[in-house]
Amino acid sequence: MSRQTLTTAHEGCIHDVQMNYNGRYLATAGSDGRVKIFEVKGGEDVELANIRAHDGGVWQVSWCHSRASGGAKMLASAGEDGRVCIWKESGKNWECIHTVDHIHEGGAVAISWSPFEFGAILSSAGADGIVAVCTRSNEGWTTTQFIAHSGGVTGISWAPFLSSCSLVRPIPLQNLASLMRFVTCGCDGHLVIWKYTQSLMKWESIQVLSDHCRNGVVAIRDVQWAKNCGLPFDYIASCADDKAVIVWTQEAPEKNWTHRIVVRSNETPCRVSWSLTGSLLAVSFENRTVSMWKEERSGEWAEVSRIS
């Protein structure tokens, strides 16, 4: 596997790195409070922006799909100062077009954009246990919030638009909002799946997954819902302080989620990430190694690559 090195010149740690949907642009989140944006050109990377984004470290960045942003480059950042900022390219500069403020006490730790089919909807998670959902309409941005986990939310990830629900039974266009789901994880050791109830106009918990807590409560570090490649089931990956990585599977909307422990390591896993097709799972560990896993026909997961 070939490797490419990028020098970001952040003053301190890099907390997050995210590429946009077509892999042309890359954003980094630094402990120096800055967000940097690069254009990726093979062996040559060009810095396009160096944004003083937050008072304190930036925990995560997330790109909005251009089909939801009207063709513009749009990026969100979550910071230690508790703010969530939405940035938009304006000429050669980037301007903050909206800020979610005074919600996440103790820091905004995770963010995730909805699939573009739903429009520009940004969800954010806070160390105070609150999830905020920020929606753009013709009238501007509106924000709803609710308590998701006791002890703090540590991760959040949207379900793909083409999930098992929409593949198994077609949904009328006027009921698209009923497809909206995301999963959160927290310091309470639980994964919670949330669904938007259109009739009540609010988010409701529809399932709690707790196998990481089998031997006592452990904090879950990260959770990611896999992109769907056309198969009638869903995957969710999670990693926790119990040093396990679990893949959860739902074969149909009415069926229960089943799980399989993919990794049981001597090192603590920090983050999980799916490939664009949902067929490969990457796991990063505290010892700065990254391993990639693929499901075999038997249903077992096999390690196919490791970078250290």
Side-chain angles (χ1 to χ4, degrees), residues 157-158 160 162 224-230 235 274-279:
S157 179
W158 278 76
L162 287 176
Q224 287 292 319
W225 205 311
K227 304 292 188 294
N228 191 289
C229 56
Y235 284 140
W274 292 97
S275 64
L276 288 177
T277 59
S279 58

Side-chain angles (χ1 to χ4, degrees), residues 1-15:
M1 180 177 292
S2 62
R3 211 187 277 194
Q4 184 175 336
T5 302
L6 172 67
T7 301
T8 65
H10 275 289
E11 297 177 2
C13 300
I14 298 173
H15 291 149

Side-chain angles (χ1 to χ4, degrees), residues 137-151:
S137 65
N138 294 332
E139 289 73 37
W141 297 87
T142 57
T143 301
T144 59
Q145 59 179 297
F146 56 89
I147 297 176
H149 294 266
S150 60

